[in-house]
Amino acid sequence: MTAPTKPPHPTPTDTDTDTASGPALGARLHSPVIDWFGENARDLPWRRPEAGAWGVMVSEFMLQQTPVNRVLPVYEQWLARWPRPADLAGEAPGEAVRAWGRLGYPRRALRLHGAAVAITERHGGDVPADHAQLLALPGIGEYTAAAVASFAYGQRHPVLDTNVRRVLARAVTGVQYPPNATTAAERKLARALLPEDESTAARWAAASMELGALVCTAKNESCHRCPIAAQCAWRLAGKPQHDGPPRRGQTYAGTDRQVRGRLLAVLREAHGPVGQSALDRVWHEPVQRARALDGLVADGLVEPLPGGLYRLPLT
């Protein structure tokens, strides 16, 4: 199906956010989505008051490109072992990599360890509430700083993860998928849609994210369960198929990522340094295996030792 020449809602631009996506549109979206969230939100440990800002931060690192069901057991083990940033900061970074297990993208473990060290040294062990201070922590980008400030401290910030971007792309802009990378126009749209009240804005951030995770999904969306289906620009346009740049896939089998994962698994399970021969057994292709190992060393995930030995990093 092709898109109509004139969608039922104008597409927002940098100079036209007031008519297409300003306070009036935001007001029509906020209440139904927030009410839906109140009835349908999942009971997740990082949403409970006892999680605190550190629990929220840990969850945000772990949930990047990783589904909730894989994160839950690792998150609970992590917080049981390191209930405060100082607890993690006192351990070797390699222990963070070991505890990360098979969540994937293990550089996140090193970045979270680095953030814990900085929080301990700069902020007395308490995750800062100030957005600029959060953004200044190592490993913390625009999204994570906004998410922690919003979800942990109830502040008013646009929180743009993949789920939120997809909800806004469909409901407001009338397209099936957002661009591959977050654009200035998306940020401006998200800011324009923020409720003025801080607590309502924080609730909106969580609610729109949950809507994208459970209802307005990338595939097999459940429009019949959507609280804003009646005003969704994409649905009203007949759900035109995506006609932008190809969406990036998440291939894994046979990639350097898979080889890196196998090499790290050997090191995580070892109680001491591992010899080259043990690493050689995990992958048959020597050039790719060597490239993957070199990449792990360059990323600080593996520490080479004399005599052809390797271990998880101690410093």
Side-chain angles (χ1 to χ4, degrees), residues 194-213:
L194 271 180
E196 289 299 323
D197 175 69
E198 277 208 324
S199 62
T200 306
R203 190 76 169 167
W204 160 254
S208 55
M209 186 176 295
E210 190 80 333
L211 185 67

Side-chain angles (χ1 to χ4, degrees), residues 12-286:
T13 67
D14 286 348
T15 59
D16 191 30
T17 55
D18 287 340
T19 57
S21 56
L25 175 58
R28 294 198 303 272
L29 299 176
H30 297 154
S31 292
V33 173
I34 290 172
D35 290 346
W36 171 88
F37 182 65
E39 297 178 1
N40 296 278
R42 292 168 290 181
D43 179 19
L44 300 173
W46 44 86
R47 289 179 175 163
R48 299 169 191 161
E50 60 268 24
W54 175 238
V56 171
M57 179 175 285
V58 170
S59 74
E60 289 300 334
F61 271 81
M62 291 185 173
L63 288 165
Q64 294 168 22
Q65 299 177 290
T66 307
V68 165
N69 63 336
R70 289 183 58 200
V71 165
L72 279 169
V74 181
Y75 173 87
E76 292 170 350
Q77 293 164 10
W78 191 284
L79 268 295
R81 181 174 178 180
W82 298 308
R84 287 181 52 80
D87 300 317
L88 176 59
E91 297 255 22
E95 286 305 301
V97 177
R98 193 188 311 277
W100 199 256
R102 306 191 74 86
L103 282 182
Y105 303 97
R107 277 178 289 182
R108 292 179 293 168
L110 288 183
R111 290 170 183 155
L112 183 51
H113 182 274
V117 171
I119 291 167
T120 303
E121 294 175 348
R122 302 176 195 171
H123 305 288
D126 294 322
V127 176
D130 181 76
H131 181 266
Q133 291 180 334
L134 286 166
L135 199 56
L137 294 172
I140 302 288
E142 175 187 357
Y143 164 76
T144 305
V148 174
S150 179
F151 301 150
Y153 294 113
Q155 297 177 14
R156 182 179 182 269
H157 296 283
V159 182
L160 276 173
D161 82 332
T162 302
N163 291 312
V164 175
R165 294 175 63 224
R166 186 169 56 252
V167 168
L168 299 186
R170 291 175 179 175
V172 180
T173 314
V175 297
Q176 185 177 18
Y177 299 118
N180 284 333
T182 307
T183 65
E186 286 181 283
R187 294 186 183 95
K188 189 168 186 177
L189 171 60
R191 288 194 300 269
L193 289 174
L194 271 180
E196 289 299 323
D197 175 69
E198 277 208 324
S199 62
T200 306
R203 190 76 169 167
W204 160 254
S208 55
M209 186 176 295
E210 190 80 333
L211 185 67
L214 300 183
V215 174
C216 193
T217 50
K219 298 179 180 179
N220 303 316
E221 65 280 349
S222 301
C223 295
H224 64 285
R225 296 194 292 121
C226 180
I228 53 173
Q231 53 189 301
C232 173
W234 182 58
R235 191 188 71 84
L236 293 173
K239 294 187 177 182
Q241 292 294 308
H242 176 69
D243 62 357
R247 302 178 69 226
R248 291 192 293 260
Q250 293 288 333
T251 57
Y252 183 73
T255 64
D256 284 5
R257 277 186 57 218
Q258 183 180 24
V259 185
R260 286 164 60 102
R262 292 192 178 184
L263 293 170
L264 272 182
V266 174
L267 293 163
R268 282 198 310 268
E269 294 163 8
H271 297 291
V274 172
Q276 182 73 55
S277 60
L279 298 176
D280 288 345
R281 288 195 290 269
V282 305
W283 197 255
H284 63 281
E285 210 289 305

